[in-house]
Every structure is written in C-alpha cells, then in structure tokens.
C-alpha cells in the first residue's frame, strides 16, 4: 500500500487546460477484453496520441495476432494522422498491450507510461523470478512525471498520477478530454478494483477526489466498459456526471464508506483471466518473453502465488 503521506506530495489539480482547441477522439473498442483504445488528435495539425492499444491473444490456442492494432494503424493512416505518443494509463492486467506493433508502424512516436512503473516492475519481476530483467523503465521511451505537460500539435496534454488501482496509474487530459484508464469508469459502473499488489482503496479515493477538481464540462473517456442491457457498451461521460452520479464514488461519498465498500467488493472478485500473460508482456512494453534456444517464447506462470 502506498503511504498516504507520500501520496499527498503529488501535484494537485489547481490549474486546468484552457485550450480552445478540442481534440478529436476516436474509440476503437476491443470486444474480447472490453478495452477502449483511443486516438486523440489535434484537428489543426493532425498530430495524435494513441492511448491503451491492445495485442490480441488467444488464451486457448496460445497465439498472438495484430487484428486490433492493425485497425488502429488503418484508422490513423486513413485520417492522415501523425502519432507522436503511444500512451499507457498503467500496466494492464486484463489485456496485452499493442504498443510494440504501433511503435513498429510509427517509429517516430514515443511509447510512454507513468514514472512509477518501476515499482510495478520490481514487484512483479520478483513474483515471476525474472533474471536479468531491467526494472528502471528503460523498455519505454518516456516515463511521465506527475503533473508533466507536453504538446500534441496545438493541444496540451497533462498527466496526473492517480494510484489506487495500481501504484503506476496515470490519467491524461488532452484539451477538454480526460482519459481515465481504470481509475474511473462510466457512472453506472463505478470505479476500479484495488486488490492488486500495491493497490489501495484509500489512495484511489484521494486520486478520484483530485480528478473531481476538473471542470464539469470536461469529457471523460474510460478505459473499459462491460455494457448493460439498457445502454449497451459506452465509453464517454462527463466529469459533472461522474461527480454527481458515479455509483461508487461521487461528491457526497465519504472516504470511510468508499474504502469499506471497495474492500468488501474486491474480496469477492476473481483475478482477470489474462493477468499473468498481460503482466509478462506489459512490463516489457509489449515485447513477448525472449525466445528460448528453440526459437519459441514461453509464458512463465507462478502457481499459488496470488
């Protein structure tokens, strides 16, 4: 669990973007893992960021394919966009990242993830007993600091450290668009689980309360959605809707009530079915494990470890 005193050192959201330019946001939804991959582009320059790409993995046949990543490449190419960043909101436990495929297609784009990925790498390299594995984040082109800002064409991107679900979660704002990853979901779905190693319901509460400082009219683009019979699958809300109506944590929710409910709820959840394979690839920024002498890559899966 992250110490509360450490978390309070992170940058508060006191100033928010006043960009008049709104990004164009395209979602390419990955049905097999219920993941929302986004392309956020500057309408004036065509520069863009790709957020949370997916590498297809058949857990029964043990084969990877690039169907979803290819659809992202096709969308970028069709619209004459220029990717400058390939961003991860965190080290995902429910899908393999397609970052390597996109980096190969757009070599000038920088792959990037939050600075605290190093803590996740240390933790899980021990779990998997990985020898000679670098835990300094050097698999990524850029480690993003809390509060760091950079440009996507004429748009301003700002990153906010939002631990709780994992120690390395980041939320990105691009103009008026908020890419919440697994920190906030659609209002009728709630918030992320906090029972993974390094997770904390108390810290997630603080992270989301910090996000609630953003203006009501900001658009929120969530990392996953599982749909309902009434509305189907959705991935966009507003910060105002989240503040008023998020079923797990809204402006009227107390910290103690949220922490107690989250812990009780998380105690009933099973691990994601792709957690082991996802971590082994995502800690490496989309690289499969190094092939062995016979030229085949293998997933090393711990037994009775979680």
């Amino acid at each position: 669990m992250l110490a509360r005193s450490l978390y309070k050192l992170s940058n508060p959201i006191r100033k928010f973007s006043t960009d008049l330019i709104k990004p164009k946001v395209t979602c390419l939804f990955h049905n097999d893992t219920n993941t929302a991959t986004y392309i956020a582009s500057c309408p004036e320059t065509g520069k863009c960021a790709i957020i949370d790409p997916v590498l297809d993995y058949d857990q029964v046949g043990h084969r990877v394919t690039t169907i979803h990543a290819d659809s992202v490449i096709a969308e970028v190419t069709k619209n004459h966009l220029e990717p400058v960043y390939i961003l991860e909101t965190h080290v995902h436990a429910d899908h393999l990242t397609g970052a390597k495929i996109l980096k190969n297609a757009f070599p000038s784009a920088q792959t990037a993830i939050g600075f605290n990925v190093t803590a996740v790498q240390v933790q899980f390299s021990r779990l998997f007993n990985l020898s000679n594995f670098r835990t300094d984040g050097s698999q990524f082109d850029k480690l993003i600091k809390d509060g760091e800002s950079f440009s996507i064409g004429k748009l301003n991107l700002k990153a906010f450290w939002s631990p709780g679900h994992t120690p390395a979660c980041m939320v990105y704002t691009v103009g008026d668009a908020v890419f919440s990853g697994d920190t906030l979901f659609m209002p009728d779905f709630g918030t992320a689980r906090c029972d993974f190693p390094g997770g904390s319901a108390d810290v997630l509460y603080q992270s989301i309360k910090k996000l609630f400082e953003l203006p009501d009219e900001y658009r929120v683009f969530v990392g996953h959605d599982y749909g309902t019979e009434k509305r189907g699958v959705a991935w966009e809300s507003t910060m105002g809707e989240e503040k008023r109506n998020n079923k797990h944590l809204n402006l009227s929710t107390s910290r103690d009530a949220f922490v107690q409910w989250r812990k009780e709820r998380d105690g009933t959840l099973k691990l994601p079915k792709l957690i082991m394979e996802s971590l082994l690839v995502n800690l490496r920024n989309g690289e499969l494990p190094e092939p062995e002498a016979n030229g085949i890559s293998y997933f090393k899966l711990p037994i009775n470890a979680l």
Side-chain angles (χ1 to χ4, degrees):
M1 179 180 294
L2 294 175
R4 191 180 302 172
S5 59
L6 172 63
Y7 177 75
K8 286 183 176 179
L9 294 175
S10 65
N11 293 316
I13 301 178
R14 291 177 180 165
K15 294 182 180 180
F16 46 82
S17 172
T18 57
D19 284 13
L20 295 178
I21 304 174
K22 294 185 177 183
K24 178 183 178 182
V25 179
T26 301
C27 176
L28 291 92
F29 196 77
H30 188 251
N31 290 302
D32 287 350
T33 61
N34 295 89
T35 301
T37 296
Y38 295 105
I39 303 170
S41 59
C42 173
E44 294 192 15
T45 66
K47 295 185 184 297
C48 71
I50 301 168
I51 303 167
D52 288 344
V54 177
L55 178 67
D56 292 277
Y57 176 65
D58 175 1
Q59 196 176 26
V60 176
H62 303 292
R63 290 184 176 275
V64 296
T65 57
T66 61
I67 296 169
H68 191 261
D70 289 343
S71 72
V72 175
I73 294 168
E75 183 71 17
V76 168
T77 303
K78 179 183 72 175
N79 290 286
H80 308 288
L81 301 177
E82 179 185 349
V84 290
Y85 293 104
I86 301 164
L87 302 173
E88 304 287 355
T89 54
H90 62 295
V91 179
H92 308 279
D94 47 21
H95 68 271
L96 283 62
T97 177
K100 181 179 184 296
I101 305 303
L102 295 179
K103 176 72 173 182
N104 289 341
F106 308 111
S108 63
Q110 287 190 292
T111 59
I113 197 168
F115 70 98
N116 213 31
V117 67
T118 54
V120 179
Q121 288 179 323
V122 168
Q123 189 166 46
F124 284 104
S125 65
R126 291 171 180 167
L127 174 68
F128 292 111
N129 197 29
L130 301 177
S131 59
N132 302 317
F133 181 78
R134 303 187 309 277
T135 59
D136 58 359
S138 58
Q139 297 86 349
F140 302 84
D141 295 326
K142 180 178 179 63
L143 299 186
I144 303 173
K145 300 176 184 176
D146 183 27
E148 186 173 358
S149 295
F150 38 97
S151 297
I152 300 174
K154 294 187 178 181
L155 294 169
N156 179 63
L157 184 149
K158 189 167 185 179
F160 301 99
W161 186 36
S162 58
H165 173 58
T166 78
C169 287
M170 302 293 284
V171 169
Y172 304 112
T173 62
V174 183
D176 73 330
V178 182
F179 297 94
S180 62
D182 286 13
T183 298
L184 269 181
F185 294 128
M186 295 295 292
D188 60 353
F189 194 77
T191 62
R193 64 193 295 172
C194 301
D195 59 326
F196 293 154
S200 165
D202 184 44
V203 170
L204 182 64
Y205 181 89
Q206 297 176 65
S207 293
I208 293 175
K209 284 293 187 178
K210 185 172 71 168
L211 290 179
F212 282 173
E213 297 175 26
L214 291 167
D216 285 3
E217 64 270 21
Y218 272 32
R219 298 175 288 165
V220 177
F221 296 93
V222 302
H224 296 280
D225 190 64
Y226 299 88
T228 67
E229 187 174 327
K230 182 178 180 180
R231 66 165 170 78
V233 173
W235 48 77
E236 179 180 351
S237 68
T238 68
M239 191 55 67
E241 290 171 334
E242 298 286 356
K243 293 176 189 179
R244 293 187 298 271
N245 301 321
N246 188 284
K247 66 184 292 185
H248 296 167
L249 202 170
N250 52 62
L251 288 176
S252 65
T253 308
S254 72
R255 184 188 70 192
D256 289 345
F258 175 74
V259 170
Q260 180 179 350
W261 182 89
R262 189 72 264 176
K263 287 182 177 179
E264 291 174 354
R265 167 65 173 161
D266 291 349
T268 70
L269 300 177
K270 296 181 179 180
L271 289 174
K273 63 180 181 179
L274 289 179
I275 184 171
M276 299 302 180
E277 296 93 333
S278 295
L279 288 170
L280 283 165
V281 170
N282 297 344
L283 292 171
R284 296 177 166 93
N285 192 22
E287 291 278 359
L288 294 175
E290 188 74 20
E292 298 191 7
N294 60 359
I296 299 174
S297 295
Y298 293 86
F299 284 132
K300 181 179 183 179
L301 306 180
I303 306 299
N304 297 331
L306 289 178

